[in-house]
Structures are given as C-alpha cells and as structure tokens.
C-alpha cells in the first residue's frame, strides 16, 4: 500500500502505471517482515520496513513500509522505508571507503582505538572498552566507534556529509550541523536512500538512480568510489556476514 500511494502521488494523471515491483517477491517480503516483527515484539520492536533492490537492473523489486498497514496502534500507515531514522553504524563503511579513496588507509592500516576528545566530544565504543592498535579491516568488522570518528576527523569532518549530499540524500538538512557524531548515527536518513547507496558498492562504486517504473532507461550514474575501494569494503562486509551466519548456525 505504501508503494502504491507513492506511485499515485508521483503520477496522478496516469490511469495505469507499470512498476518494477515483483509481485511474488513483494508478497514474500511482506509475510517475512510480519513474521519477524511478531517474534520481536517481546523485545519492544513493534514495526519494521524493508526494500529489495536489484543491483544489476537498479530496479526496486520489493518495498514494504510496515508490518501491518492497517495496524493503527503500531502506526502501520507510516511509510517506514521513507521515514527519517538514525542509521546507527550503517554509515561507517562509507567513511572507510572515503579514507581508502583519499589514500589515508588500506584494509591492513593500523588505527588507534584509544580514548580521545574532540572539542568536548568524546566518542566511546559500544562496550566502553578500547583495543589500542587495530587494523582498519578489524575496526570496520567490529564496528568500533572511536576509529571511525578518528578517520572522519582526518578526512576533514564534512566528508561524510558531502558524500551523502552527492548521493542525493534528501533526508539530511541542507546545512551541515552534524559534526563527527554523524558517522555514529547522529543524523537521520531513510532506508531507501541508504539501500541505494549500499548498492553502489555492488556496482564498482557507481551510484545509479533507483528505477521504480518499467522502461525508465538506465543512466550512467555517478562514480562515488573506485572499483578497487568498493571491492575492499564489500569483502570486509562479507566477512562480517559470514561470521554472523557461522555463529547463528553454531
């Protein structure tokens, strides 16, 4: 329903719109999301959203804005994939990508994970411990906060903001007032923007406009990162996924 509403608002004069949504996949994601939210309600999580993008065609294949559209108690009619939310640590990979692009680090470059203060701002890791010297690869895999903030500071502080503006993130404000906490989720983005940015890593660093209707035509996109940097970041994130899958199986 959320996707249908957005299409109606975007194409009010059209009597019929052929979209990129795949019906079977859409139904599957809707059912999966509802099932997972029911499991998570005991943890206080009452809603969720999901989108699926084809990295080859750049088409939006599924878009679910909430677990139950008609559930007023859990605000089911709020479109969760367009609602601004804190990204948490989801922007960290792009700071590391910028660092590699600028030649500041490589995956095996050592970073400091020690207490630090930036003009009164003192970032801490989630477990409030420090690892001393740690490779960029391990810092990203472990989602350490301090090395990510240090790297953003070395990049000039505004590098992440400028990247998101270049990637057409419309959920962030036109004026950069986020500072270093931005890399730890100190801003608001929406799920569709974030997923589209991640898809650039799978496309050798090139960001393509998201396709939502058939026969839109694919543009050349814009190169955000080099293919080599995109490969390195993707490999590190794949290691995280593999580790998590192994732990779950065990």
């Amino acid at each position: 329903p959320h996707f249908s509403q957005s299409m109606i608002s975007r194409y009010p004069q059209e009597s019929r719109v052929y979209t990129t949504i795949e019906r079977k996949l859409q139904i599957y994601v809707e059912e999966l999301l509802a099932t997972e939210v029911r499991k998570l309600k005991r943890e206080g999580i009452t809603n969720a959203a999901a989108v699926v993008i084809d990295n080859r065609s750049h088409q939006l294949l599924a878009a679910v804005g909430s677990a139950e559209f008609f559930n007023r108690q859990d605000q089911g009619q709020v479109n969760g994939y367009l609602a601004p939310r804190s990204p948490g640590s989801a922007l960290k990979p792009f700071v590391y990508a910028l660092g590699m692009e600028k030649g500041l680090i490589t995956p095996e470059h050592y970073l400091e994970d020690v207490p630090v203060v930036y003009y009164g701002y003192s970032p801490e890791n989630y477990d409030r411990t420090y690892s001393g010297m740690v490779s960029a690869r391990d810092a990203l895999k472990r989602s350490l906060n301090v090395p990510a903030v240090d790297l953003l500071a070395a990049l000039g502080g505004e590098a992440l903001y400028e990247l998101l503006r270049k990637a057409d993130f419309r959920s962030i404000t036109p004026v950069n007032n986020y500072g270093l906490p931005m890399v730890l989720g100190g801003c608001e983005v929406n799920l569709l923007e974030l997923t589209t940015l991640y898809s650039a890593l799978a496309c050798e660093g090139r960001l393509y406009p998201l396709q939502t209707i058939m026969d839109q035509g694919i543009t050349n996109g814009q190169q955000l990162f080099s293919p080599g940097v995109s490969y390195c970041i993707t490999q590190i994130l794949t290691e995280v996924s593999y580790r998590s899958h192994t732990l779950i199986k065990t």
Side-chain angles (χ1 to χ4, degrees):
H2 293 106
F3 180 77
S4 297
Q5 288 177 341
S6 67
M7 289 295 100
I8 291 172
S9 63
R10 287 176 60 184
Y11 305 101
Q13 306 301 322
E14 300 291 335
S15 59
R16 181 172 296 181
V17 178
Y18 293 92
T19 77
T20 58
I21 295 294
E22 290 190 1
R23 178 175 172 79
K24 289 184 179 179
L25 180 60
Q26 174 74 20
I27 293 173
Y28 171 75
V29 176
E30 288 177 1
E31 294 174 347
L32 179 63
L33 198 71
T35 299
E36 293 302 314
V37 168
R38 282 195 294 270
K39 294 178 184 177
L40 293 170
K41 281 197 173 181
R42 65 174 70 95
E43 307 293 335
I45 298 172
T46 59
N47 221 327
V51 296
V52 179
I53 296 175
D54 187 319
N55 291 323
R56 294 183 178 86
S57 66
H58 319 296
Q59 293 179 344
L60 182 64
L61 302 184
V64 185
S66 67
E68 296 179 74
F69 183 77
F70 293 105
N71 185 335
R72 294 184 178 275
Q73 181 178 351
D74 296 328
Q75 299 181 317
Q77 295 190 22
V78 174
N79 189 339
Y81 66 79
L82 291 182
R85 294 285 188 271
S86 168
S89 294
L91 293 176
K92 286 179 183 174
F94 302 103
V95 171
Y96 285 86
L98 288 169
M100 292 181 192
E101 202 69 55
K102 295 292 184 180
L104 297 181
I105 61 170
T106 68
E108 306 309 322
H109 183 94
Y110 277 99
L111 302 173
E112 293 184 349
D113 182 28
V114 297
V116 65
V117 178
Y118 290 100
Y119 303 101
Y121 171 58
S122 182
E124 294 182 334
N125 292 319
Y126 180 76
D127 59 3
R128 298 192 177 184
T129 64
Y130 301 92
S131 301
M133 300 300 290
V134 60
S135 71
R137 178 187 302 276
D138 285 340
L140 178 54
K141 283 168 60 176
R142 295 167 58 189
S143 191
L144 296 177
N145 291 340
V146 176
V149 172
D150 287 347
L151 183 55
L152 181 57
L155 285 164
E158 297 184 357
L160 180 58
Y161 172 82
E162 292 170 354
L163 173 68
L164 299 189
R165 294 292 294 176
K166 186 177 180 181
D168 199 28
F169 273 56
R170 300 182 182 182
S171 54
I172 61 174
T173 63
V175 180
N176 181 10
N177 56 3
Y178 300 105
L180 296 178
M182 188 177 196
V183 67
L184 305 184
C187 63
E188 290 187 330
V189 304
N190 69 53
L191 178 62
L192 198 59
E193 293 171 332
L194 188 60
T195 310
T196 304
L197 181 58
Y198 264 90
S199 73
L201 293 176
C203 297
E204 298 187 325
R206 187 173 290 275
L207 179 69
Y208 292 89
L210 186 64
Q211 309 288 309
T212 55
I213 61 173
M214 300 301 294
D215 302 323
Q216 273 184 278
I218 299 176
T219 66
N220 291 330
Q222 58 175 326
Q223 197 75 42
L224 298 182
F225 308 107
S226 67
V229 166
S230 300
Y231 176 82
C232 289
I233 296 297
T234 301
Q235 286 300 108
I236 295 172
L237 296 180
T238 301
E239 292 172 13
V240 175
S241 176
Y242 177 77
R243 183 185 64 182
S244 300
H245 180 65
T246 303
L247 289 173
I248 292 171
K249 286 180 67 178
T250 303

